[in-house]
Amino acid sequence: VSMLSYHGVRGDSTRELVTCARQLRSMAVPRLDMELFSNAAARTALQQPSSDCADAMQLWNFHSEVTELHPHIAHYAARRPVNAGFSWLLKINVFLRARFDRTLYIDSDVFILDSTYVFNLLTSALAVNDLAAPLDPGRAYARPRKPWLNMLFWDPSYAGPPPFCACLVAYRRSPAVEALFVGAARRFMSGRRKSGIHALMRLSDQEALWAEWTSNEKLRLRVLILPPEHFCPYGRYNSKDAPFNHGVHPRELTFNTTWMTGTPGYKCRAVHAHSKMLLRTLIQELPPCASLRIERSSVDIPVASS
């Protein structure tokens, strides 16, 4: 499992990251190696004692400097410096630099709810696919000031591959997967949008990945788009007609459809949240950080001892 922390401002973002790691560390079966890519400011924040965790750095087996660019990205970035959206580029950089043969990358605001979910993704899903990621629930959104964002997916005539969300990506190490990540990074750094359908999209990390996947005919990738219950947005849908039942205990969340009237719905496997209520619920049930300390640790960067 790989994760990313870049800004390092102590507050909700760091608390989300720590809670995400504690949740995964306490429940994942079997126990998994975890790698955190971070910068100095993030590591400083993580080492500050809090009411939740005395030294959160101990939750990960491996620590790596996130601003150290993969050689392919560094070579291209040297000719075209990156300014806006640097954190999105760092995310693709993490995809390339993860040390495992099979990796699950998760954003710090994604909380795994199923104890065997990660293991099943890395084994069963990647046994027949190169990459697996959930359907993007916001694939057809448009912001008031930028109504053109992702207008492609509002088009009823579009029948191509749906966009996936890069908040949760399982992938195996292979030349084809590396080519996807390198191509997406180059596409992102150049701001390149080809004419036609790709001109109708914003360009962040996940859009760059999708555009590279759907436009590079040389790629031979087996991509699995996971169904909506693999990534349930928590707290964004508060109306009575919402597909996600906001307000219940996180482990009771389900994705509901009209095809399953009278049944509990599909159990959510992971939930995305910027919710203080959800954090409080999860934190109250988690074991102390000290009991989750890993026995083995490999550190690629200097980390001050607590």
Side-chain angles (χ1 to χ4, degrees):
V1 178
S2 67
M3 302 177 70
L4 163 65
S5 181
Y6 177 60
H7 293 292
V9 178
R10 194 68 180 178
D12 285 347
S13 60
T14 301
R15 199 180 192 200
E16 286 178 351
L17 172 70
V18 173
T19 305
C20 174
R22 289 176 66 191
Q23 170 82 355
L24 191 55
R25 179 64 74 194
S26 66
M27 72 181 304
V29 178
R31 198 164 189 176
L32 301 164
D33 286 337
M34 294 167 55
E35 179 175 21
L36 176 66
F37 290 84
S38 59
N39 62 343
R43 293 189 292 275
T44 298
L46 287 168
Q47 288 177 303
Q48 294 176 6
S50 69
S51 58
D52 300 331
C53 209
D55 184 3
M57 292 289 286
Q58 299 297 320
L59 293 169
W60 291 271
N61 303 68
F62 305 98
H63 290 276
S64 300
E65 171 57 52
V66 70
T67 58
E68 180 182 332
L69 298 181
H70 185 275
H72 288 305
I73 295 182
H75 174 74
Y76 195 80
R79 294 178 295 162
R80 184 183 289 272
V82 179
N83 295 312
F86 185 57
S87 60
W88 282 334
L89 176 63
L90 290 181
K91 189 169 172 180
I92 301 176
N93 185 53
V94 167
F95 292 159
L96 281 165
R97 289 185 53 212
R99 67 184 65 224
F100 311 115
D101 289 332
R102 298 188 183 193
T103 300
L104 175 66
Y105 169 85
I106 54 174
D107 278 353
S108 60
D109 53 6
V110 174
F111 304 93
I112 305 298
L113 303 177
D114 185 328
S115 61
T116 61
Y117 176 64
V118 178
F119 180 75
N120 289 334
L121 270 183
L122 296 177
T123 53
S124 299
L126 295 187
V128 292
N129 297 280
D130 300 302
L131 185 146
L135 182 72
D136 180 7
R139 59 192 177 278
Y141 77 93
R143 296 176 183 173
R145 294 184 181 180
K146 298 180 179 179
W148 51 267
L149 286 179
N150 290 357
M151 288 296 289
L152 164 64
F153 305 111
W154 284 106
D155 185 351
S157 66
Y158 176 74
F164 54 80
C165 184
C167 61
L168 187 155
V169 182
Y171 59 95
R172 56 193 305 157
R173 188 188 302 275
S174 72
V177 171
E178 181 176 279
L180 169 70
F181 294 153
V182 171
R186 289 177 176 173
R187 182 180 298 275
F188 177 79
M189 285 187 284
S190 66
R192 176 160 49 95
R193 296 188 182 90
K194 292 185 177 181
S195 60
I197 61 173
H198 298 135
L200 298 173
M201 297 177 63
R202 72 168 186 171
L203 196 62
S204 72
D205 54 290
Q206 66 187 41
E207 281 80 17
L209 287 165
W210 182 89
E212 182 66 17
W213 171 42
T214 56
S215 61
N216 187 343
E217 297 180 356
K218 295 181 180 180
L219 288 177
R220 293 293 182 265
L221 280 176
R222 299 170 298 174
V223 177
L224 173 63
I225 304 297
L226 300 166
E229 67 268 19
H230 286 248
F231 178 64
C232 295
Y234 183 84
R236 290 193 177 191
Y237 302 92
N238 297 319
S239 72
K240 63 180 181 180
D241 299 321
F244 301 100
N245 41 10
H246 172 69
V248 304
H249 190 282
R251 292 189 180 87
E252 301 301 322
L253 284 171
T254 57
F255 172 75
N256 307 306
T257 77
T258 56
W259 286 71
M260 300 183 69
T261 302
T263 62
Y266 295 103
K267 181 178 174 59
C268 289
R269 315 299 297 278
V271 59
H272 168 267
H274 294 290
S275 167
K276 292 181 179 180
M277 180 177 68
L278 182 138
L279 283 179
R280 284 195 300 268
T281 302
L282 292 177
I283 290 171
Q284 288 172 359
E285 300 179 356
L286 288 173
C289 261
S291 68
L292 300 174
R293 294 179 64 165
I294 44 97
E295 298 176 357
R296 175 173 60 86
S297 180
S298 175
V299 181
D300 293 345
I301 53 177
V303 177
S305 58
S306 56

